[in-house]
Amino acid sequence: MATIHIPPISFQHDHPYPKLHSKTNISGININNNNNYEDKIRNFSDHPALSLLDKCTQMMQLKQIHAHMLRLGLFFHPYSASRLLTTSALSPTKNIEYAHKLFDQIPHPNIYSYNTLIRAHASGPDPKQSFFLFSQMLNQGLHSPNKFTFPFLIKAASELSALKEGKVVHGMAVKTGLHSDVFILNSLIHFYASCLSLDLAYKVFVKIPHRDVVSWNSVITAFAQGDRPEAALDLFREMEAENMKPNDVTMVSVLSACAKTGDLEFGRWVHCYIVRNEIRTELILSNAILDMYTKCGSLEDAHNMFDKMLARDSVSWTTMLVCYAKSGDFTAARHFFDAIPSRDIASWNALISAYEQSGQPKEALALFNELQLGDSKPDHVTLVSVLSACSQLGAMDLGQWIHTYIKKHNFRLNFHLITSLIDMYSKCGDLEKALEIFQSARKKDVFVWSAMIAGLAMHGRGEAAIDLFLQMQKDTVSPNDVTFTNVLCACSHAGLVEMGKLYFSQMLPIYGIAPKAEHYGCMVDILGRAGRLEEALELIEKMTIPPLASVWGALLGACTIHGNLELGEHACNRLLELEPRNDGAYVLLSNIFAKRGKWDDVTRLRKMMKDIGLKKEPGCSSIEVDGVIHEFLVGDISHPLSVKIYSKLEEIAGRLKSVGFEPNRSQVLQDVEEEEAKEQALNLHSEKLAIAFGLISTGPRAPIRIVKNLRVCGDCHSAAKLISTLYNREIVLRDRYRFHHFKNGSCSCMDYW
Ligand code: ZN
Ligand code: ZN
């Protein structure tokens, strides 16, 4: 253990005049005033015990000095006590708890000591303490806050996003006559921005009499980070016009605003501007340029920048990796990843989440396995990504394994992880487990609530979802636009038409959330499913924003269910105007034709698809058995157990026929391209292959969980219902839109999907 040699005591009082390091100390407080008492105290300033404080590297050493100072009586002089306090509160060896205890022992803490501890707490784990100290100081009435007290208090308020408290501090600063102190005003800009009150931040900014570069930086950063990138760029132009020279900090914020607008041209201009004006380009700024090119989607510019960089750190490598993945070239991304000199968890996370978000969940999970073999340890970000990959695959065993992993490694369950776990269990078909996690979470943010509402919605528990929506508001959590999508989705899946209309109509007037295209899509879905097709069309025609393809898609889907040929064709045409290569639209329309027995039109549509070289996304069903995902395409014979699967299928077909099951021939185009023997083709649908495989490879009472990439077809739906009785098996099938729980011959969707 390191100890410090403490020199013998010499009588420092003998020194005629103290030597001062400087007139101001680290908090910028002038300690060189005319008070005689203070002069005497300064006699201690070059006491060896005090100069040792600067050399302290361990808490242990600090405690020794503290003990020594107590013995010498040095501690009872405010100046030396405040030196000790500063070291324990602000130095690299700091220990705020110890500092606070020390502070409580100081007989008459001076304003400098108060400021020191207020400052330490403001950036410590419990910023509220800054306010407690402040009120303690006011109550004692010995000191008035000075211009150094306020910025630290404002910092504490920013950390807490405590708008009310911050406003009070702002008011006090004004009353104290410090309303034009640029340091205080700059911290107020930052504070209001951190409370998302950009307008208040701007108000402070415009009132600053002599703005310095920090003022400009604060306001530009506020707008860039507060999702008003255009305003940030306007402010930058204004700064230019006022001949205020920007620095590297300004440019980092300007680049982040460019990245958000995605304006590559302007981004290039900013890059040139930096070079032309010879702005100090350290690593942070180079990385910001790289990040801007990545977010604006220019692999070429990013690559040029990366090559030119004199120094690179983990952030540079990771950003470049993201750029490769974003360009869609995953082979190049993987090569680049392998070439990273010292990969840290951030680089792993970048590639794992890139795979996961580009619909390659299997690759994401494979990389996660690779990660565990190396030195890097997964963090919260990794786990959120892999849980989402499990959700996409419906890989419950894997998801559960990750849940156990989280518990075993004592990961703190933050909102992101809770949300991901709820989402994973819901999407893997275990709603009960999702509810369990939801209920055991002590605190819930809007995303946790929304995820649970979505879980209930996709399992057809519409009423329960609405109950939760009401309960959430009782808990004073305000819904956001995601919540509303999920609530409307719940109404749609459960056929709650009036409820859906009610909440949709309340969105803007009561909750201040303007309906987006997805909300209109849900509403069209709700009306359409209920057969109120004209009303749905009216809603689309009255939309205040241009309808996206998804909105027409919802109407087309409803027309398929209700066999409305005219409106269906109309919706399909509008949809194809927006998305000419939407294979789903062709399939849905051809389903309407097939339902009406218009086989000529079906053939015509198929020819059209062929002519423009459009291929229907092949149906694919996957099933997880013992942690391994098995995938089946239509008519797939690639599985090693193919022979067994097909003989099981024959057996199933025989048993279905024996109870009078009639194949539904109108569903053929759902999955096959070419004219084939229709009945046989139906038997080869991917979900049937997966069910057959599930029956032969899982225990007799285990539920069979299947995930299908497209909407389940009517024939497979009817077959699955019967299979659930004939084989006494629960089948949980997740299709593109919802869950189907087949049990005892019926489905949880009530044949409504
Ligand atoms: Zn089918
Ligand atoms: Zn169903």
Side-chain angles (χ1 to χ4, degrees):
M1 201 172 292
T3 52
I4 281 190
H5 170 70
I6 296 171
I9 308 150
S10 63
F11 288 92
Q12 302 294 315
H13 304 276
D14 298 343
H15 278 270
Y17 291 103
K19 284 178 250 165
L20 286 177
H21 309 291
S22 68
K23 276 188 178 177
T24 46
N25 56 38
I26 51 166
S27 279
I29 296 168
N30 193 340
I31 52 170
N32 197 11
N33 57 30
N34 295 321
N35 190 322
N36 281 336
Y37 175 66
E38 294 277 318
D39 268 353
K40 270 185 199 160
I41 293 154
R42 250 179 283 120
N43 286 347
F44 296 104
S45 69
D46 54 359
H47 187 282
L50 292 190
S51 50
L52 273 178
L53 280 171
D54 298 334
K55 296 179 192 126
C56 244
T57 54
Q58 285 177 22
M59 206 50 213
M60 188 64 196
Q61 299 165 339
L62 187 105
K63 285 180 181 171
Q64 283 174 0
I65 300 172
H66 182 192
H68 191 62
M69 283 174 69
L70 280 169
R71 276 201 303 278
L72 290 175
L74 218 62
F75 181 76
F76 301 102
H77 294 281
Y79 171 69
S80 38
S82 67
R83 281 283 313 275
L84 180 65
L85 180 72
T86 305
T87 310
S88 59
L90 301 172
S91 73
T93 38
K94 67 179 175 230
N95 178 333
I96 299 179
E97 234 175 279
Y98 188 79
H100 205 132
K101 277 190 197 146
L102 211 146
F103 176 86
D104 290 339
Q105 289 170 8
I106 301 177
H108 303 289
N110 54 18
I111 176 76
Y112 168 67
S113 295
Y114 271 109
N115 284 348
T116 303
L117 201 56
I118 289 175
R119 173 183 173 184
H121 276 305
S123 39
D126 188 7
K128 269 197 214 107
Q129 294 294 335
S130 300
F131 285 100
F132 293 146
L133 272 166
F134 182 60
S135 57
Q136 185 184 324
M137 179 175 103
L138 294 181
N139 287 340
Q140 282 179 348
L142 293 173
H143 308 291
S144 306
N146 61 17
K147 66 173 183 172
F148 300 104
T149 320
F150 289 111
F152 302 142
L153 274 177
I154 295 165
K155 166 100 168 62
S158 312
E159 291 297 315
L160 296 163
S161 298
L163 187 59
K164 221 172 75 193
E165 287 77 359
K167 276 184 173 168
V168 173
V169 175
H170 185 176
M172 287 178 81
V174 171
K175 269 191 206 149
T176 321
L178 294 166
H179 50 273
S180 55
D181 183 291
V182 72
F183 194 43
I184 293 179
L185 292 169
N186 289 346
S187 34
L188 279 168
I189 296 176
H190 175 77
F191 157 70
Y192 283 121
S194 72
C195 294
L196 307 175
S197 301
L198 288 179
D199 295 337
L200 289 177
Y202 187 69
K203 259 190 196 161
V204 173
F205 172 76
V206 291
K207 279 191 192 148
I208 301 179
H210 304 289
R211 295 167 197 156
D212 59 9
V213 67
V214 181
S215 320
W216 283 98
N217 288 352
S218 305
V219 75
I220 292 174
T221 309
F223 280 89
Q225 290 179 353
D227 269 345
R228 302 250 305 262
E230 272 95 5
L233 296 178
D234 286 346
L235 279 161
F236 172 60
R237 291 184 192 105
E238 218 178 289
M239 180 180 185
E240 270 273 271
E242 287 197 13
N243 282 325
M244 174 63 77
K245 211 175 157 7
N247 62 15
D248 50 340
V249 179
T250 326
M251 297 326 290
V252 168
S253 287
V254 169
L255 285 163
S256 111
C258 286
K260 281 189 181 167
T261 58
D263 185 345
L264 180 62
E265 281 315 305
F266 191 68
R268 281 185 182 140
W269 181 87
V270 172
H271 187 180
C272 289
Y273 178 94
I274 292 169
V275 177
R276 218 171 42 233
N277 289 278
E278 295 173 338
I279 292 173
R280 198 163 53 110
T281 314
E282 290 196 14
L283 195 52
I284 294 183
L285 186 53
S286 315
N287 281 343
I289 296 170
L290 194 60
D291 182 65
M292 178 275 294
Y293 283 131
T294 298
K295 297 214 170 107
C296 292
S298 172
L299 182 61
E300 202 188 326
D301 285 289
H303 205 273
N304 283 339
M305 181 64 204
F306 186 78
D307 280 347
K308 272 191 226 136
M309 283 168 72
L310 298 173
R312 299 176 189 125
D313 65 355
S314 156
V315 176
S316 337
W317 285 93
T318 305
T319 311
M320 198 57 228
L321 173 65
V322 169
C323 197
Y324 275 112
K326 235 189 118 188
S327 76
D329 188 346
F330 276 87
T331 321
R334 179 68 221 217
H335 280 312
F336 187 82
F337 176 76
D338 290 333
I340 297 179
S342 56
R343 278 180 299 205
D344 58 6
I345 189 61
S347 21
W348 285 93
N349 286 348
L351 194 56
I352 290 177
S353 90
Y355 277 128
E356 177 262 304
Q357 283 171 15
S358 62
Q360 303 179 70
K362 276 178 145 178
E363 286 74 6
L365 290 172
L367 198 61
F368 177 61
N369 282 337
E370 232 178 278
L371 161 66
Q372 291 172 76
L373 302 174
D375 300 326
S376 297
K377 291 268 163 290
D379 63 8
H380 279 82
V381 180
T382 329
L383 295 167
V384 165
S385 283
V386 289
L387 281 171
S388 163
C390 292
S391 304
Q392 285 180 39
L393 286 168
M396 172 108 114
D397 290 355
L398 263 169
Q400 231 162 7
W401 182 87
I402 290 161
H403 189 189
T404 315
Y405 182 94
I406 290 169
K407 285 194 236 170
K408 209 169 89 191
H409 291 82
N410 290 320
F411 275 97
R412 197 173 60 83
L413 278 186
N414 61 14
F415 290 143
H416 290 297
L417 267 190
I418 298 172
T419 305
S420 303
L421 282 167
I422 292 173
D423 185 61
M424 183 275 291
Y425 279 115
S426 303
K427 287 192 179 147
C428 290
D430 196 339
L431 189 61
E432 293 313 311
K433 192 80 198 169
L435 281 165
E436 203 179 283
I437 287 171
F438 176 76
Q439 270 139 13
S440 62
R442 259 178 294 140
K443 273 187 167 179
K444 304 171 177 91
D445 72 350
V446 61
F447 293 100
V448 174
W449 284 95
S450 302
M452 197 61 247
I453 292 172
L456 289 164
M458 71 181 89
H459 286 273
R461 305 252 302 259
E463 262 116 16
I466 303 291
D467 281 349
L468 212 60
F469 176 60
L470 299 175
Q471 205 184 314
M472 160 182 178
Q473 292 169 72
K474 270 191 209 147
D475 266 31
T476 65
V477 177
S478 310
N480 62 14
D481 60 330
V482 179
T483 323
F484 273 99
T485 309
N486 299 343
V487 166
L488 292 174
C489 195
C491 295
S492 160
H493 285 330
L496 304 169
V497 184
E498 294 312 318
M499 197 85 94
K501 282 180 77 169
L502 176 72
Y503 288 128
F504 183 75
S505 71
Q506 289 180 345
M507 279 181 72
L508 191 57
I510 295 185
Y511 298 94
I513 300 166
K516 292 185 183 166
E518 58 258 38
H519 301 112
Y520 278 101
C522 288
M523 218 36 234
V524 169
D525 207 46
I526 292 173
L527 293 168
R529 281 162 193 278
R532 290 154 75 159
L533 296 172
E534 294 302 326
E535 209 177 328
L537 182 65
E538 237 168 71
L539 181 73
I540 299 179
E541 281 165 351
K542 275 196 290 195
M543 273 173 75
T544 47
I545 46 171
L548 293 181
S550 60
V551 177
W552 289 112
L555 184 61
L556 176 57
C559 292
T560 319
I561 296 174
H562 298 285
N564 186 327
L565 200 56
E566 293 74 40
L567 199 51
E569 246 188 311
H570 174 65
C572 187
N573 287 333
R574 305 307 301 273
L575 172 55
L576 290 174
E577 275 166 25
L578 296 166
E579 279 182 7
R581 303 192 64 81
N582 187 319
D583 57 331
Y586 283 99
V587 174
L588 279 175
L589 187 60
S590 69
N591 280 353
I592 307 181
F593 286 134
K595 217 169 192 170
R596 293 280 192 85
K598 299 195 165 190
W599 297 104
D600 290 348
D601 288 316
V602 173
T603 319
R604 181 173 59 86
L605 269 185
R606 253 191 241 179
K607 193 178 165 307
M608 273 169 71
M609 280 178 84
K610 223 178 214 163
D611 288 349
I612 59 167
L614 199 60
K615 276 199 170 169
K616 199 195 138 314
E617 185 184 344
C620 174
S621 297
S622 59
I623 173 170
E624 186 192 43
V625 175
D626 297 329
V628 180
I629 307 282
H630 302 259
E631 277 180 339
F632 296 94
L633 295 170
V634 60
D636 205 333
I637 48 165
S638 62
H639 197 277
L641 294 180
S642 243
V643 178
K644 277 191 178 173
I645 294 169
Y646 278 90
S647 69
K648 190 73 183 176
L649 264 181
E650 248 169 59
E651 177 205 307
I652 295 171
R655 284 183 72 173
L656 285 175
K657 210 167 222 164
S658 71
V659 292
F661 179 73
E662 274 288 322
N664 179 353
R665 286 182 180 76
S666 76
Q667 302 289 337
V668 175
L669 193 77
Q670 192 90 17
D671 278 321
V672 281
E673 299 269 311
E674 301 303 325
E675 194 71 42
E676 275 179 54
K678 287 189 181 114
E679 196 168 328
Q680 196 205 352
L682 278 169
N683 279 336
L684 300 180
H685 275 188
S686 63
E687 52 268 58
K688 289 210 184 83
L689 292 173
I691 291 176
F693 176 68
L695 284 172
I696 56 177
S697 53
T698 56
R701 257 181 293 277
I704 296 175
R705 295 177 200 279
I706 294 167
V707 176
K708 191 182 176 197
N709 64 338
L710 306 173
R711 200 190 286 264
V712 60
C713 86
D715 183 70
C716 289
H717 195 270
S718 320
K721 283 198 290 185
L722 274 175
I723 294 170
S724 72
T725 331
L726 291 173
Y727 289 84
N728 194 19
R729 269 303 182 106
E730 197 182 333
I731 300 169
V732 184
L733 191 150
R734 180 181 110 198
D735 71 9
R736 195 175 208 148
Y737 300 96
R738 62 170 304 141
F739 267 97
H740 302 269
H741 290 256
F742 300 99
K743 205 176 170 181
N744 302 328
S746 64
C747 179
S748 63
C749 77
M750 312 295 279
D751 300 333
Y752 196 83
W753 78 95

